Amino acid sequence: MVPSRPPAASYVIIDAENVDWAVSNVVGRKPEPQDRVQFDRLVAFCEDHFPKPVRCVVVLNARGEQLPDVMIGFVRALKTAGCDVALLHGRSDQKVVDLGILKLLEAIRTQRPKAAVALASHDGTDFADALRLLLEEKRQVAILGLREYMSQRFRELVPAGLEILDLELNARVFQRPLPRLLPVRVDEFDPTFFL
C-alpha cells in the first residue's frame, strides 16, 4: 500500500510512449538517449510553470504482472527525476496507458477540485474530452508535446483556455536540438537565416 501524501496543487501526467513516438518521428529512427526527454528537466519546468506542489506521474504499460528487465532502469531513472510511475497491465485488446490516464484525469477532476492539470501527450482523440471537462471548471490546464504533432482536437480547446507548451521550445527538456521542421509565422520570419 502506498502511504498517503498531501494533495498536489498541480498534476502532470505523462504518456511516455506517445511522447517517444513523436520524438521518433522527428529524428526518423529509434531515439538515442540524447534525443529523449530528460525527466528531471521536465519536473523542474513544471515546478516553475504550475502551482506548487507539483506531482508528475508517468503512466507505463508494464506488459504483464512482472516488470520486464529492460524497464527496470527506466523506472528507477524516472523516480530519481522526481516522477511517480504508474505501471499498468491489462488484456491485449485494452489501451492500457490511455485507460490509466483517463482514470487519473477523472480522479483529479472529482477528488482534487481546483488542481491544475498538464498532460504530456499528442493524443487528442482519447484525451480531449477529459481535458474539456477540466477547462469547464475554470482550472489551469495545459498540454505538453511537440507542436507539429499536436492533435487538432487539442488545438480546438485553446479558446477554452488550454495552454499548449512545446517540450523543446518551452520546457527545454532535450540534451540536444531535435531536427524539427517547424513552420514559422511570417511576422516572425528572419530572412537573414537564408542569406
Side-chain angles (χ1 to χ4, degrees):
M1 178 155 209
V2 176
S4 73
R5 296 182 287 175
S10 302
Y11 292 88
V12 179
I13 302 171
I14 303 164
D15 183 349
E17 289 179 7
N18 182 275
V19 172
D20 206 46
W21 161 84
V23 172
S24 296
N25 281 333
V26 168
V27 298
R29 58 177 157 65
K30 182 177 178 181
E32 297 173 3
Q34 304 92 313
D35 301 320
R36 295 187 186 273
V37 169
Q38 303 301 298
F39 285 92
D40 57 335
R41 292 183 188 181
L42 181 57
V43 170
F45 171 78
C46 291
E47 288 176 342
D48 286 342
H49 194 80
F50 301 104
K52 294 178 185 164
V54 174
R55 184 161 304 139
C56 292
V57 181
V58 180
V59 182
L60 297 174
N61 186 346
R63 312 236 191 285
E65 291 185 26
Q66 184 175 357
L67 186 64
D69 290 343
V70 296
M71 290 184 75
I72 292 172
F74 181 53
V75 170
R76 285 190 183 132
L78 290 170
K79 289 180 173 273
T80 299
C83 297
D84 290 337
V85 180
L87 293 169
L88 308 175
H89 69 92
R91 297 185 318 268
S92 61
D93 65 325
Q94 290 179 304
K95 295 169 76 174
V96 172
V97 170
D98 294 355
L99 291 170
I101 290 172
L102 288 169
K103 285 184 172 198
L104 275 166
L105 291 170
E106 180 62 12
I108 293 166
R109 189 180 72 76
T110 59
Q111 298 173 34
R112 299 293 185 251
K114 300 184 181 166
V117 177
L119 173 63
S121 181
H122 303 85
D123 185 357
T125 301
D126 289 317
F127 305 128
D129 290 338
L131 295 185
R132 180 179 286 108
L133 291 174
L134 294 165
L135 288 164
E136 288 172 357
E137 297 176 352
K138 305 299 183 209
R139 296 179 190 234
Q140 180 181 2
V141 182
I143 195 77
L144 294 152
L146 301 178
R147 73 179 192 204
E148 64 270 38
Y149 291 100
M150 200 56 61
S151 167
Q152 182 61 31
R153 299 236 8 237
F154 288 143
R155 293 178 195 282
E156 292 166 0
L157 294 176
V158 169
L162 181 69
E163 182 179 19
I164 296 179
L165 298 166
D166 191 280
L167 286 169
E168 183 176 27
L169 304 174
N170 299 116
R172 304 184 187 284
V173 298
F174 298 101
Q175 288 183 352
R176 62 183 179 194
L178 296 177
R180 296 168 75 182
L181 299 172
L182 290 174
V184 175
R185 189 178 304 277
V186 69
D187 296 341
E188 300 167 6
F189 174 59
D190 179 5
T192 60
F193 178 79
F194 295 95
L195 301 181

